[in-house]
């Protein structure tokens, strides 16, 4: 399905973005593993999160959807085998479902198969297979790719694991497996990745301690049901922040956005570039910092971003590259090789599609070089999302400043993380 979008005058008003995808996945998982009745308020009803909900329903959790909330009767740490049909668990497009679930399945007394769509079937799984095999799980794959056949073991062996990659999905898989281990499991990473799992595990009663970039978890006999409220997703807010910053005359308030310090790299970088962004009404909701964001059109200066910052804005880099096409000077992004193994090869897809709109962007093996002086010359064209939600949304924001009409092919994929994206965008366009 294609969508046709046109240049607009400005962005203004007040909006709320959908709930955080990472936090929704974790809330469904831990509520399903807990004993008792949990409530997940303001969950994200997106395709990816539905895959996690379905998987845990198959394994014994009772999950009722009531408007924006989930009522979950947990199955306890020992799940029931999901045997139904040929393939046991279908993870769709969701890397988070697959990798986090692998950690939980590693500690079960049954065998499970995880499959996914074409994009997920090309994404690397060796990164979870390796630590979980060290812990004693028997995992077979198609040469590091899906399908994963996971034969769990209980108890697993506690390990000390060091990862030179910054990845919250692998960290979370090891921590979840650590719940089923025979002693304390420690995971250490070079640059801290998002820490939603650590925060939520503690809230559900797990014994978790954090020391810099190192996390230790002790085995658990049980987790206790919680009432979790999910904040708005900063990775979804990023598209509206970008729109307000690059469309002249814009002024926007985005309410209820999670600003966990492991996720707020985009805001820090934009402020350094001269962006007029204010965080107001700062508060804490279910162990996560939350605020309202006020953002106004700004003349921006180019900047350099490297591996020390990338993990804090990894999902925002596609839209950041678009913003950089509007900043004075040359921006360089390096240390972002991970983008090559996301829902699409985002270094290639961002570069090729923004070029179609007239931007001066070159790809590097691990990033981008963006010449901002091309900024005012974007022009509409026919572009492809490559079925990658964040590419579709980046191109939709680009269309707001591109002369003429932009046609985005396979535009529906925004439902992976942001159902209703095009309507929300339309509501604030003047
Ligand atoms: C996620 C972690 C990140 C991120 C993804 C969600 C998570 O992936 O890109 O969208 O919820 O843990 P990596 O762990 O591969 O960096």
């Amino acid at each position: 399905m294609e969508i046709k979008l046109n240049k607009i005058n400005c962005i203004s008003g007040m909006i709320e973005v959908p709930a955080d995808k990472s936090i929704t996945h974790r809330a469904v998982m831990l509520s399903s593993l807990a004993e008792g009745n949990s409530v997940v308020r303001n969950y994200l009803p997106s395709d990816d999160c539905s895959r996690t909900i379905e998987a845990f329903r198959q394994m014994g959790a009772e999950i009722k959807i009531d408007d924006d909330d989930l009522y979950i009767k947990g199955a306890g740490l020992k799940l029931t085998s999901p045997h139904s049909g040929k393939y046991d668990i279908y993870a769709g497009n969701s890397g988070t479902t697959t990798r986090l679930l692998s950690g939980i399945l590693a500690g079960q007394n049954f065998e499970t198969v995880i499959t996914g769509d074409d994009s997920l079937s090309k994404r690397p799984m060796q990164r979870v297979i390796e630590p979980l095999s060290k812990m004693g799980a028997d995992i077979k794959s198609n040469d590091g790719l899906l399908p994963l056949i996971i034969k769990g073991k209980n108890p697993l062996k506690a390990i000390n694991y060091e990862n030179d990659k910054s990845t919250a999905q692998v960290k979370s898989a090891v921590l979840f497996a650590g719940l089923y281990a025979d002693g304390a499991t420690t995971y250490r990473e070079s640059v801290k990745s998002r820490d939603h799992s650590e925060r939520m595990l503690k809230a559900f009663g797990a014994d978790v301690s954090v020391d810099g970039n190192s996390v230790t978890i002790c085995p658990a006999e049980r987790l206790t049901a919680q009432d979790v409220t999910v904040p708005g997703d900063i990775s979804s807010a990023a598209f509206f922040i970008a729109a307000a910053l690059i469309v002249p005359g814009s002024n926007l308030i985005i309410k209820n956005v999670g600003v966990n310090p492991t996720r707020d790299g985009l805001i820090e970088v934009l402020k350094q570039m001269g962006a007029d962004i204010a965080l107001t009404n700062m508060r804490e909701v279910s162990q996560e910092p939350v605020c309202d964001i006020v953002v106004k059109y700004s003349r921006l200066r180019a900047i350099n971003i490297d591996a020390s910052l990338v993990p804090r804005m990894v999902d925002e880099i596609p839209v950041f590259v678009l913003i950089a096409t509007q900043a004075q000077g040359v921006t360089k992004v390096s240390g972002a090789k991970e983008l090559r193994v996301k829902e699409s090869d985002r270094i290639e897809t961002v570069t090729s599609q923004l070029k179609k709109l007239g931007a001066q962007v070159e790809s590097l093996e691990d990033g981008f070089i963006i010449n901002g002086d091309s900024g005012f010359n974007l022009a509409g064209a026919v572009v492809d999302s490559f079925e990658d939600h964040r590419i579709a949304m980046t191109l939709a924001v680009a269309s707001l400043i591109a002369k003429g009409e932009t046609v985005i092919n396979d535009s529906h994929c925004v439902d992976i993380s942001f159902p209703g994206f095009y309507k929300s965008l339309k509501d604030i366009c003047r």
Side-chain angles (χ1 to χ4, degrees):
M1 205 173 72
E2 63 178 32
I3 192 163
K4 294 178 177 164
L5 298 166
N6 280 288
K7 192 166 187 233
I8 57 153
N9 289 328
C10 73
I11 294 275
S12 77
M14 187 158 80
I15 52 156
E16 201 159 325
V17 287
D20 190 283
K21 182 158 80 70
S22 292
I23 297 176
T24 299
H25 280 298
R26 287 156 172 82
V28 172
M29 291 182 183
L30 294 184
S31 299
S32 298
L33 293 177
E35 288 176 11
N37 296 306
S38 291
V39 188
V40 181
R41 299 182 195 276
N42 186 42
Y43 86 108
L44 174 67
S46 77
D47 288 355
D48 267 17
C49 296
S50 301
R51 299 279 64 82
T52 293
I53 291 172
E54 226 23 74
F56 280 92
R57 278 182 171 153
Q58 282 175 261
M59 294 189 290
E62 284 174 33
I63 307 180
K64 282 199 198 98
I65 300 176
D66 182 11
D67 275 343
D68 297 337
D69 304 333
L70 298 175
Y71 290 84
I72 302 182
K73 183 166 183 234
L77 284 165
K78 290 201 168 124
L79 299 168
T80 54
S81 166
H83 292 297
S84 62
K86 186 176 172 206
Y87 293 121
D88 297 10
I89 288 175
Y90 179 66
N93 192 249
S94 178
T96 310
T97 305
T98 309
R99 298 195 180 113
L100 271 60
L101 195 54
S102 303
I104 294 166
L105 295 174
Q108 306 300 323
N109 284 321
F110 51 79
E111 185 176 292
T112 324
V113 183
I114 308 181
T115 60
D117 71 7
D118 286 349
S119 155
L120 189 62
S121 300
K122 291 186 196 120
R123 297 181 66 189
M125 296 300 156
Q126 193 55 37
R127 54 184 65 195
V128 285
I129 296 174
E130 193 202 294
L132 297 175
S133 302
K134 281 194 172 140
M135 294 179 84
D138 174 1
I139 306 184
K140 292 190 183 67
S141 69
N142 174 21
D143 214 6
L145 303 177
L146 294 185
L148 289 182
I149 304 167
I150 304 177
K151 192 167 176 198
K153 192 178 168 203
N154 202 321
L156 290 164
K157 200 161 105 42
I159 57 168
N160 242 312
Y161 196 74
E162 273 213 44
N163 201 337
D164 55 9
K165 270 198 182 66
S166 175
T167 150
Q169 293 181 350
V170 177
K171 174 171 67 177
S172 303
V174 172
L175 295 178
F176 289 172
L179 293 168
Y180 302 91
D182 57 5
T185 294
T186 298
Y187 184 95
R188 201 182 148 68
E189 55 192 343
S190 47
V191 181
K192 197 179 177 82
S193 62
R194 64 191 66 190
D195 67 356
H196 306 302
S197 295
E198 295 90 304
R199 288 171 189 249
M200 206 182 286
L201 277 162
K202 273 187 204 168
F204 276 81
D207 182 350
V208 177
S209 52
V210 179
D211 180 11
N213 293 352
S214 166
V215 192
T216 299
I217 186 160
C218 293
E221 268 175 28
R222 66 182 62 81
L223 298 178
T224 310
Q226 295 298 307
D227 192 319
V228 180
T229 299
V230 185
D233 197 325
I234 192 165
S235 298
S236 297
F239 298 103
F240 296 117
I241 294 174
L245 277 178
I246 67 175
V247 182
S250 296
N251 187 344
L252 183 69
I253 301 172
I254 312 170
K255 296 195 58 101
N256 188 34
V257 184
V259 279
N260 180 307
T262 58
R263 299 275 304 276
D264 67 355
L266 179 71
I267 291 172
E268 184 180 310
V269 168
L270 293 175
K271 280 187 172 167
Q272 285 175 28
M273 294 168 82
D276 187 346
I277 297 183
L279 307 188
T280 64
N281 193 15
M282 192 66 79
R283 57 211 185 263
E284 192 171 296
V285 178
S286 298
Q287 292 78 44
E288 294 282 347
V290 177
C291 74
D292 302 334
I293 298 179
V294 185
V295 51
K296 296 181 183 146
Y297 169 73
S298 308
R299 296 305 312 273
L300 302 170
R301 299 178 292 276
I303 198 170
N304 288 335
I305 293 180
D306 64 19
S308 63
L309 199 72
V310 167
R312 281 174 58 210
M313 56 184 291
V314 63
D315 292 338
E316 291 70 75
I317 289 184
V319 80
F320 171 76
V321 173
L322 168 65
I323 297 171
T325 68
Q326 306 301 300
Q328 216 169 28
V330 175
T331 290
K332 184 175 176 190
V333 179
S334 61
K337 207 171 169 188
E338 271 294 300
L339 295 196
R340 293 203 177 271
V341 290
K342 294 293 181 189
E343 287 84 330
S344 67
D345 175 344
R346 287 182 175 162
I347 295 185
E348 279 319 309
T349 50
V350 167
T351 306
S352 62
Q353 300 313 296
L354 288 182
K355 269 185 165 171
K356 282 190 185 168
L357 298 175
Q360 287 179 29
V361 185
E362 296 304 329
S363 60
L364 302 171
E365 185 48 32
D366 67 341
F368 306 86
I369 295 187
I370 308 118
N371 186 342
D373 300 329
S374 60
F376 298 108
N377 299 321
L378 297 195
V382 178
V383 288
D384 290 304
S385 73
F386 293 88
E387 304 263 0
D388 181 333
H389 53 135
R390 299 200 201 282
I391 301 302
M393 290 187 274
T394 298
L395 294 169
V397 176
S399 77
L400 307 179
I401 53 166
K403 271 183 226 111
E405 186 180 73
T406 301
V407 180
I408 307 173
N409 291 328
D410 289 330
S411 56
H412 59 277
C413 57
V414 298
D415 291 352
I416 294 291
S417 65
F418 198 150
F421 169 75
Y422 298 108
K423 180 173 184 311
S424 295
L425 188 62
K426 201 166 161 228
D427 285 349
I428 52 167
C429 287
R430 311 285 171 229

